[in-house]
Amino acid sequence: MYLLDTNHCSYIISNTSSVITALRSRSTSEIGISIITYGELLYMTEKSERKTQNLAAVQAFLASVDLYFIDEETAILYGQLKTAIFNQFAPKDKSKRRGTSVGDLGFDEHDLWIAATAVQHNFTLVSADSDFTRIQQAQPFPLESWL
């Protein structure tokens, strides 16, 4: 199973050939997205100049993938993942750690939720976002890019 990050969803919606080829080589029953990714896609449509057209494209795309919601297990994994990232990348000096957030370390909270969803369901995360490669340093999980 594959969990698509927002950038790969955008590539599919915009018909990027390498991503479409990779997608076609897999069963659509093997493809899912996080509710976080869905929210990011909706945000992108809201701020676009072609809102109606882009919303229709997102909704058509969503009809062809499974949607994974956040539940208690996702939250537990998110907390563990965030702690592992903090321990891996935050300053070791306790006085400096107190004022440090994962955002200060260069990680997006949404990416942590998406990674936690992939780990929870034992999915391969599909993304071109280099942040996920850094997240893997703290918590190994399967990661691919179809570009």
mmCIF file of all heavy atoms in Angstrom, residues 60-98:
data_model
loop_
_atom_site.group_PDB
_atom_site.id
_atom_site.type_symbol
_atom_site.label_atom_id
_atom_site.label_comp_id
_atom_site.label_asym_id
_atom_site.label_seq_id
_atom_site.Cartn_x
_atom_site.Cartn_y
_atom_site.Cartn_z
ATOM 1 N N ALA A 60 -12.499 14.628 -7.868
ATOM 2 C CA ALA A 60 -12.397 13.481 -8.782
ATOM 3 C C ALA A 60 -11.233 12.591 -8.370
ATOM 4 O O ALA A 60 -11.344 11.363 -8.361
ATOM 5 C CB ALA A 60 -12.219 13.963 -10.220
ATOM 6 N N PHE A 61 -10.123 13.204 -8.001
ATOM 7 C CA PHE A 61 -8.965 12.445 -7.532
ATOM 8 C C PHE A 61 -9.304 11.676 -6.265
ATOM 9 O O PHE A 61 -8.990 10.492 -6.127
ATOM 10 C CB PHE A 61 -7.774 13.384 -7.295
ATOM 11 C CG PHE A 61 -6.645 12.732 -6.567
ATOM 12 C CD1 PHE A 61 -5.822 11.812 -7.206
ATOM 13 C CD2 PHE A 61 -6.407 13.024 -5.234
ATOM 14 C CE1 PHE A 61 -4.779 11.196 -6.532
ATOM 15 C CE2 PHE A 61 -5.371 12.414 -4.549
ATOM 16 C CZ PHE A 61 -4.560 11.498 -5.202
ATOM 17 N N LEU A 62 -9.964 12.344 -5.326
ATOM 18 C CA LEU A 62 -10.298 11.721 -4.045
ATOM 19 C C LEU A 62 -11.192 10.493 -4.237
ATOM 20 O O LEU A 62 -11.092 9.531 -3.477
ATOM 21 C CB LEU A 62 -10.986 12.737 -3.123
ATOM 22 C CG LEU A 62 -11.246 12.241 -1.705
ATOM 23 C CD1 LEU A 62 -9.940 11.930 -0.993
ATOM 24 C CD2 LEU A 62 -12.046 13.259 -0.918
ATOM 25 N N ALA A 63 -12.015 10.510 -5.262
ATOM 26 C CA ALA A 63 -12.899 9.370 -5.524
ATOM 27 C C ALA A 63 -12.120 8.112 -5.904
ATOM 28 O O ALA A 63 -12.642 7.004 -5.795
ATOM 29 C CB ALA A 63 -13.895 9.726 -6.623
ATOM 30 N N SER A 64 -10.855 8.289 -6.312
ATOM 31 C CA SER A 64 -10.069 7.138 -6.765
ATOM 32 C C SER A 64 -9.068 6.632 -5.733
ATOM 33 O O SER A 64 -8.306 5.716 -6.014
ATOM 34 C CB SER A 64 -9.327 7.497 -8.062
ATOM 35 O OG SER A 64 -8.347 8.485 -7.795
ATOM 36 N N VAL A 65 -9.041 7.225 -4.534
ATOM 37 C CA VAL A 65 -8.088 6.808 -3.496
ATOM 38 C C VAL A 65 -8.814 6.582 -2.175
ATOM 39 O O VAL A 65 -9.932 7.072 -1.975
ATOM 40 C CB VAL A 65 -6.959 7.861 -3.301
ATOM 41 C CG1 VAL A 65 -6.142 8.035 -4.565
ATOM 42 C CG2 VAL A 65 -7.510 9.187 -2.820
ATOM 43 N N ASP A 66 -8.164 5.853 -1.286
ATOM 44 C CA ASP A 66 -8.691 5.676 0.058
ATOM 45 C C ASP A 66 -8.245 6.847 0.932
ATOM 46 O O ASP A 66 -7.146 7.380 0.759
ATOM 47 C CB ASP A 66 -8.178 4.368 0.665
ATOM 48 C CG ASP A 66 -8.726 3.141 -0.039
ATOM 49 O OD1 ASP A 66 -9.896 3.181 -0.487
ATOM 50 O OD2 ASP A 66 -7.986 2.147 -0.158
ATOM 51 N N LEU A 67 -9.073 7.229 1.875
ATOM 52 C CA LEU A 67 -8.787 8.342 2.770
ATOM 53 C C LEU A 67 -8.555 7.787 4.173
ATOM 54 O O LEU A 67 -9.382 7.031 4.689
ATOM 55 C CB LEU A 67 -9.955 9.331 2.753
ATOM 56 C CG LEU A 67 -9.806 10.623 3.522
ATOM 57 C CD1 LEU A 67 -8.616 11.434 3.015
ATOM 58 C CD2 LEU A 67 -11.092 11.447 3.415
ATOM 59 N N TYR A 68 -7.441 8.160 4.791
ATOM 60 C CA TYR A 68 -7.083 7.672 6.125
ATOM 61 C C TYR A 68 -7.169 8.804 7.129
ATOM 62 O O TYR A 68 -6.552 9.854 6.961
ATOM 63 C CB TYR A 68 -5.682 7.047 6.111
ATOM 64 C CG TYR A 68 -5.696 5.768 5.331
ATOM 65 C CD1 TYR A 68 -5.494 5.768 3.960
ATOM 66 C CD2 TYR A 68 -6.004 4.570 5.958
ATOM 67 C CE1 TYR A 68 -5.562 4.595 3.225
ATOM 68 C CE2 TYR A 68 -6.073 3.393 5.228
ATOM 69 C CZ TYR A 68 -5.849 3.410 3.871
ATOM 70 O OH TYR A 68 -5.942 2.250 3.141
ATOM 71 N N PHE A 69 -7.959 8.565 8.178
ATOM 72 C CA PHE A 69 -8.221 9.569 9.193
ATOM 73 C C PHE A 69 -7.257 9.413 10.360
ATOM 74 O O PHE A 69 -6.622 8.375 10.536
ATOM 75 C CB PHE A 69 -9.670 9.450 9.686
ATOM 76 C CG PHE A 69 -10.665 9.791 8.618
ATOM 77 C CD1 PHE A 69 -11.158 8.802 7.771
ATOM 78 C CD2 PHE A 69 -11.088 11.090 8.435
ATOM 79 C CE1 PHE A 69 -12.058 9.106 6.770
ATOM 80 C CE2 PHE A 69 -11.996 11.412 7.435
ATOM 81 C CZ PHE A 69 -12.484 10.416 6.602
ATOM 82 N N ILE A 70 -7.196 10.437 11.175
ATOM 83 C CA ILE A 70 -6.381 10.409 12.382
ATOM 84 C C ILE A 70 -7.232 9.810 13.499
ATOM 85 O O ILE A 70 -8.383 10.200 13.696
ATOM 86 C CB ILE A 70 -5.921 11.832 12.747
ATOM 87 C CG1 ILE A 70 -4.938 12.325 11.690
ATOM 88 C CG2 ILE A 70 -5.304 11.874 14.135
ATOM 89 C CD1 ILE A 70 -4.573 13.779 11.825
ATOM 90 N N ASP A 71 -6.640 8.860 14.198
ATOM 91 C CA ASP A 71 -7.322 8.268 15.349
ATOM 92 C C ASP A 71 -6.345 8.214 16.523
ATOM 93 O O ASP A 71 -5.251 8.794 16.459
ATOM 94 C CB ASP A 71 -7.899 6.886 15.004
ATOM 95 C CG ASP A 71 -6.847 5.879 14.565
ATOM 96 O OD1 ASP A 71 -5.634 6.086 14.824
ATOM 97 O OD2 ASP A 71 -7.228 4.867 13.963
ATOM 98 N N GLU A 72 -6.719 7.524 17.579
ATOM 99 C CA GLU A 72 -5.878 7.476 18.781
ATOM 100 C C GLU A 72 -4.502 6.874 18.481
ATOM 101 O O GLU A 72 -3.478 7.379 18.941
ATOM 102 C CB GLU A 72 -6.575 6.680 19.875
ATOM 103 C CG GLU A 72 -5.797 6.641 21.166
ATOM 104 C CD GLU A 72 -6.509 5.896 22.273
ATOM 105 O OE1 GLU A 72 -7.629 5.383 22.054
ATOM 106 O OE2 GLU A 72 -5.940 5.824 23.372
ATOM 107 N N GLU A 73 -4.465 5.815 17.696
ATOM 108 C CA GLU A 73 -3.178 5.186 17.372
ATOM 109 C C GLU A 73 -2.287 6.142 16.572
ATOM 110 O O GLU A 73 -1.078 6.226 16.812
ATOM 111 C CB GLU A 73 -3.390 3.887 16.592
ATOM 112 C CG GLU A 73 -2.088 3.153 16.321
ATOM 113 C CD GLU A 73 -2.261 1.847 15.574
ATOM 114 O OE1 GLU A 73 -3.413 1.402 15.358
ATOM 115 O OE2 GLU A 73 -1.231 1.282 15.184
ATOM 116 N N THR A 74 -2.876 6.877 15.639
ATOM 117 C CA THR A 74 -2.111 7.862 14.871
ATOM 118 C C THR A 74 -1.514 8.898 15.813
ATOM 119 O O THR A 74 -0.340 9.278 15.673
ATOM 120 C CB THR A 74 -2.995 8.594 13.837
ATOM 121 O OG1 THR A 74 -3.920 7.714 13.247
ATOM 122 C CG2 THR A 74 -2.155 9.257 12.759
ATOM 123 N N ALA A 75 -2.319 9.350 16.781
ATOM 124 C CA ALA A 75 -1.855 10.364 17.731
ATOM 125 C C ALA A 75 -0.693 9.838 18.573
ATOM 126 O O ALA A 75 0.284 10.565 18.817
ATOM 127 C CB ALA A 75 -3.007 10.818 18.619
ATOM 128 N N ILE A 76 -0.773 8.597 18.988
ATOM 129 C CA ILE A 76 0.318 7.996 19.765
ATOM 130 C C ILE A 76 1.597 7.936 18.931
ATOM 131 O O ILE A 76 2.680 8.328 19.385
ATOM 132 C CB ILE A 76 -0.089 6.593 20.270
ATOM 133 C CG1 ILE A 76 -1.191 6.720 21.333
ATOM 134 C CG2 ILE A 76 1.117 5.822 20.814
ATOM 135 C CD1 ILE A 76 -1.883 5.412 21.668
ATOM 136 N N LEU A 77 1.465 7.481 17.692
ATOM 137 C CA LEU A 77 2.631 7.398 16.805
ATOM 138 C C LEU A 77 3.188 8.782 16.482
ATOM 139 O O LEU A 77 4.406 8.967 16.404
ATOM 140 C CB LEU A 77 2.271 6.643 15.533
ATOM 141 C CG LEU A 77 2.019 5.149 15.735
ATOM 142 C CD1 LEU A 77 1.361 4.543 14.504
ATOM 143 C CD2 LEU A 77 3.306 4.429 16.089
ATOM 144 N N TYR A 78 2.308 9.757 16.304
ATOM 145 C CA TYR A 78 2.733 11.132 16.069
ATOM 146 C C TYR A 78 3.584 11.625 17.247
ATOM 147 O O TYR A 78 4.653 12.210 17.049
ATOM 148 C CB TYR A 78 1.503 12.029 15.875
ATOM 149 C CG TYR A 78 1.791 13.503 15.996
ATOM 150 C CD1 TYR A 78 2.267 14.230 14.914
ATOM 151 C CD2 TYR A 78 1.575 14.176 17.200
ATOM 152 C CE1 TYR A 78 2.526 15.588 15.024
ATOM 153 C CE2 TYR A 78 1.839 15.526 17.317
ATOM 154 C CZ TYR A 78 2.310 16.224 16.233
ATOM 155 O OH TYR A 78 2.576 17.558 16.352
ATOM 156 N N GLY A 79 3.120 11.388 18.459
ATOM 157 C CA GLY A 79 3.865 11.806 19.655
ATOM 158 C C GLY A 79 5.223 11.127 19.735
ATOM 159 O O GLY A 79 6.230 11.767 20.060
ATOM 160 N N GLN A 80 5.261 9.838 19.422
ATOM 161 C CA GLN A 80 6.530 9.110 19.438
ATOM 162 C C GLN A 80 7.471 9.619 18.349
ATOM 163 O O GLN A 80 8.673 9.786 18.574
ATOM 164 C CB GLN A 80 6.276 7.615 19.270
ATOM 165 C CG GLN A 80 5.567 6.993 20.446
ATOM 166 C CD GLN A 80 5.098 5.562 20.178
ATOM 167 O OE1 GLN A 80 5.114 5.080 19.040
ATOM 168 N NE2 GLN A 80 4.666 4.886 21.227
ATOM 169 N N LEU A 81 6.920 9.858 17.177
ATOM 170 C CA LEU A 81 7.715 10.351 16.051
ATOM 171 C C LEU A 81 8.267 11.749 16.345
ATOM 172 O O LEU A 81 9.451 12.027 16.114
ATOM 173 C CB LEU A 81 6.865 10.366 14.784
ATOM 174 C CG LEU A 81 7.514 10.860 13.497
ATOM 175 C CD1 LEU A 81 8.724 10.014 13.137
ATOM 176 C CD2 LEU A 81 6.494 10.821 12.368
ATOM 177 N N LYS A 82 7.432 12.607 16.871
ATOM 178 C CA LYS A 82 7.855 13.968 17.194
ATOM 179 C C LYS A 82 8.959 13.947 18.256
ATOM 180 O O LYS A 82 9.943 14.685 18.150
ATOM 181 C CB LYS A 82 6.651 14.787 17.670
ATOM 182 C CG LYS A 82 6.917 16.259 17.795
ATOM 183 C CD LYS A 82 5.622 17.004 18.045
ATOM 184 C CE LYS A 82 5.836 18.493 18.148
ATOM 185 N NZ LYS A 82 4.571 19.225 18.304
ATOM 186 N N THR A 83 8.824 13.076 19.246
ATOM 187 C CA THR A 83 9.851 12.930 20.277
ATOM 188 C C THR A 83 11.158 12.416 19.684
ATOM 189 O O THR A 83 12.237 12.921 19.994
ATOM 190 C CB THR A 83 9.362 11.980 21.390
ATOM 191 O OG1 THR A 83 8.180 12.532 21.973
ATOM 192 C CG2 THR A 83 10.425 11.782 22.460
ATOM 193 N N ALA A 84 11.062 11.418 18.792
ATOM 194 C CA ALA A 84 12.261 10.867 18.155
ATOM 195 C C ALA A 84 12.975 11.935 17.325
ATOM 196 O O ALA A 84 14.208 12.028 17.340
ATOM 197 C CB ALA A 84 11.894 9.665 17.287
ATOM 198 N N ILE A 85 12.211 12.753 16.616
ATOM 199 C CA ILE A 85 12.796 13.834 15.815
ATOM 200 C C ILE A 85 13.467 14.862 16.717
ATOM 201 O O ILE A 85 14.588 15.309 16.448
ATOM 202 C CB ILE A 85 11.718 14.486 14.927
ATOM 203 C CG1 ILE A 85 11.400 13.544 13.779
ATOM 204 C CG2 ILE A 85 12.157 15.852 14.418
ATOM 205 C CD1 ILE A 85 10.203 13.935 12.984
ATOM 206 N N PHE A 86 12.782 15.208 17.774
ATOM 207 C CA PHE A 86 13.350 16.173 18.711
ATOM 208 C C PHE A 86 14.648 15.632 19.302
ATOM 209 O O PHE A 86 15.655 16.340 19.369
ATOM 210 C CB PHE A 86 12.328 16.492 19.807
ATOM 211 C CG PHE A 86 12.672 17.702 20.607
ATOM 212 C CD1 PHE A 86 12.390 18.971 20.134
ATOM 213 C CD2 PHE A 86 13.286 17.583 21.842
ATOM 214 C CE1 PHE A 86 12.709 20.096 20.864
ATOM 215 C CE2 PHE A 86 13.619 18.697 22.585
ATOM 216 C CZ PHE A 86 13.335 19.960 22.096
ATOM 217 N N ASN A 87 14.652 14.376 19.709
ATOM 218 C CA ASN A 87 15.853 13.777 20.290
ATOM 219 C C ASN A 87 16.990 13.674 19.281
ATOM 220 O O ASN A 87 18.159 13.809 19.634
ATOM 221 C CB ASN A 87 15.547 12.401 20.877
ATOM 222 C CG ASN A 87 14.695 12.489 22.122
ATOM 223 O OD1 ASN A 87 14.668 13.509 22.797
ATOM 224 N ND2 ASN A 87 13.972 11.420 22.422
ATOM 225 N N GLN A 88 16.651 13.464 18.029
ATOM 226 C CA GLN A 88 17.661 13.328 16.977
ATOM 227 C C GLN A 88 18.260 14.670 16.563
ATOM 228 O O GLN A 88 19.459 14.773 16.342
ATOM 229 C CB GLN A 88 17.028 12.650 15.754
ATOM 230 C CG GLN A 88 17.943 12.503 14.559
ATOM 231 C CD GLN A 88 18.850 11.309 14.645
ATOM 232 O OE1 GLN A 88 18.573 10.362 15.371
ATOM 233 N NE2 GLN A 88 19.931 11.341 13.911
ATOM 234 N N PHE A 89 17.423 15.709 16.461
ATOM 235 C CA PHE A 89 17.860 16.944 15.821
ATOM 236 C C PHE A 89 17.954 18.169 16.736
ATOM 237 O O PHE A 89 18.564 19.167 16.351
ATOM 238 C CB PHE A 89 16.927 17.285 14.648
ATOM 239 C CG PHE A 89 16.986 16.268 13.546
ATOM 240 C CD1 PHE A 89 15.970 15.331 13.399
ATOM 241 C CD2 PHE A 89 18.051 16.240 12.664
ATOM 242 C CE1 PHE A 89 16.017 14.383 12.382
ATOM 243 C CE2 PHE A 89 18.115 15.299 11.646
ATOM 244 C CZ PHE A 89 17.094 14.366 11.504
ATOM 245 N N ALA A 90 17.347 18.130 17.907
ATOM 246 C CA ALA A 90 17.353 19.302 18.795
ATOM 247 C C ALA A 90 18.709 19.461 19.467
ATOM 248 O O ALA A 90 19.460 18.492 19.589
ATOM 249 C CB ALA A 90 16.252 19.174 19.852
ATOM 250 N N PRO A 91 19.002 20.665 19.911
ATOM 251 C CA PRO A 91 20.252 20.864 20.647
ATOM 252 C C PRO A 91 20.310 19.949 21.876
ATOM 253 O O PRO A 91 19.279 19.650 22.484
ATOM 254 C CB PRO A 91 20.191 22.332 21.090
ATOM 255 C CG PRO A 91 19.175 22.971 20.222
ATOM 256 C CD PRO A 91 18.223 21.889 19.821
ATOM 257 N N LYS A 92 21.486 19.506 22.207
ATOM 258 C CA LYS A 92 21.650 18.599 23.354
ATOM 259 C C LYS A 92 21.634 19.354 24.681
ATOM 260 O O LYS A 92 21.274 18.804 25.706
ATOM 261 C CB LYS A 92 22.945 17.784 23.224
ATOM 262 C CG LYS A 92 23.022 16.955 21.949
ATOM 263 C CD LYS A 92 21.820 16.033 21.793
ATOM 264 C CE LYS A 92 21.876 15.300 20.460
ATOM 265 N NZ LYS A 92 20.580 14.883 19.978
ATOM 266 N N ASP A 93 22.007 20.616 24.651
ATOM 267 C CA ASP A 93 22.009 21.450 25.846
ATOM 268 C C ASP A 93 20.577 21.693 26.304
ATOM 269 O O ASP A 93 19.758 22.234 25.555
ATOM 270 C CB ASP A 93 22.704 22.777 25.519
ATOM 271 C CG ASP A 93 22.817 23.715 26.712
ATOM 272 O OD1 ASP A 93 21.889 23.753 27.547
ATOM 273 O OD2 ASP A 93 23.842 24.412 26.793
ATOM 274 N N LYS A 94 20.252 21.298 27.541
ATOM 275 C CA LYS A 94 18.877 21.391 28.054
ATOM 276 C C LYS A 94 18.325 22.808 27.998
ATOM 277 O O LYS A 94 17.146 23.002 27.718
ATOM 278 C CB LYS A 94 18.792 20.844 29.480
ATOM 279 C CG LYS A 94 18.836 19.350 29.560
ATOM 280 C CD LYS A 94 18.571 18.872 30.975
ATOM 281 C CE LYS A 94 18.613 17.356 31.009
ATOM 282 N NZ LYS A 94 18.225 16.850 32.326
ATOM 283 N N SER A 95 19.152 23.802 28.266
ATOM 284 C CA SER A 95 18.647 25.177 28.260
ATOM 285 C C SER A 95 18.238 25.612 26.853
ATOM 286 O O SER A 95 17.313 26.407 26.692
ATOM 287 C CB SER A 95 19.693 26.136 28.832
ATOM 288 O OG SER A 95 20.839 26.180 27.999
ATOM 289 N N LYS A 96 18.892 25.083 25.833
ATOM 290 C CA LYS A 96 18.539 25.408 24.448
ATOM 291 C C LYS A 96 17.360 24.571 23.961
ATOM 292 O O LYS A 96 16.610 25.006 23.088
ATOM 293 C CB LYS A 96 19.742 25.203 23.530
ATOM 294 C CG LYS A 96 20.864 26.173 23.788
ATOM 295 C CD LYS A 96 22.036 25.914 22.884
ATOM 296 C CE LYS A 96 23.182 26.864 23.214
ATOM 297 N NZ LYS A 96 24.368 26.574 22.412
ATOM 298 N N ARG A 97 17.187 23.383 24.501
ATOM 299 C CA ARG A 97 16.100 22.498 24.075
ATOM 300 C C ARG A 97 14.730 23.057 24.458
ATOM 301 O O ARG A 97 13.762 22.888 23.723
ATOM 302 C CB ARG A 97 16.254 21.103 24.699
ATOM 303 C CG ARG A 97 17.371 20.294 24.096
ATOM 304 C CD ARG A 97 17.599 19.007 24.857
ATOM 305 N NE ARG A 97 16.614 17.988 24.580
ATOM 306 C CZ ARG A 97 16.754 17.028 23.682
ATOM 307 N NH1 ARG A 97 17.850 16.956 22.969
ATOM 308 N NH2 ARG A 97 15.818 16.127 23.519
ATOM 309 N N ARG A 98 14.655 23.717 25.621
ATOM 310 C CA ARG A 98 13.366 24.206 26.119
ATOM 311 C C ARG A 98 12.666 25.132 25.131
ATOM 312 O O ARG A 98 11.470 25.079 24.981
ATOM 313 C CB ARG A 98 13.555 24.922 27.454
ATOM 314 C CG ARG A 98 13.694 23.986 28.604
ATOM 315 C CD ARG A 98 13.598 24.720 29.937
ATOM 316 N NE ARG A 98 14.077 23.835 30.980
ATOM 317 C CZ ARG A 98 15.287 23.881 31.506
ATOM 318 N NH1 ARG A 98 16.144 24.819 31.120
ATOM 319 N NH2 ARG A 98 15.656 23.032 32.427
#
